């Protein structure tokens, strides 16, 4: 399940929620109980190190792992 970041417009605090993609647009009250919140745009960084120890040294992908050809 993905994690979504939100910001409360009332107290300006930020918080994260782990929820299904189908609920990403659902209202998300802040931990202090305020309901005027907005979902933040976040980015995800994917690196070869996150793939685990069995990943090719070149990071995989087309021509990066030496499997093309």
């Amino acid at each position: 399940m993905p994690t979504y970041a939100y910001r409360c417009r009332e107290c300006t605090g930020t918080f994260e929620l782990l929820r299904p993609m189908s609920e990403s647009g659902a209202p998300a009250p802040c931990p202090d109980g305020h309901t005027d919140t907005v979902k933040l745009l976040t980015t995800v960084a994917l690196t070869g190190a996150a793939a685990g120890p069995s990943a090719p040294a070149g990071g995989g992908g087309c021509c990066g792992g030496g499997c093309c050809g």
Side-chain angles (χ1 to χ4, degrees):
M1 243 187 295
T3 301
Y4 295 96
Y6 297 86
R7 183 179 61 84
C8 178
R9 291 180 177 162
E10 193 167 334
C11 67
T12 68
T14 58
F15 60 98
E16 294 182 342
L17 290 178
L18 184 67
R19 54 179 18 180
M21 290 176 70
S22 61
E23 295 178 16
S24 68
C30 86
D32 291 333
H34 306 126
T35 57
D36 188 11
T37 61
V38 61
K39 186 170 75 167
L40 300 176
L41 180 62
T42 57
T43 59
V44 177
L46 301 175
T47 64
S54 62
C62 185
C63 302
C67 61
C68 299

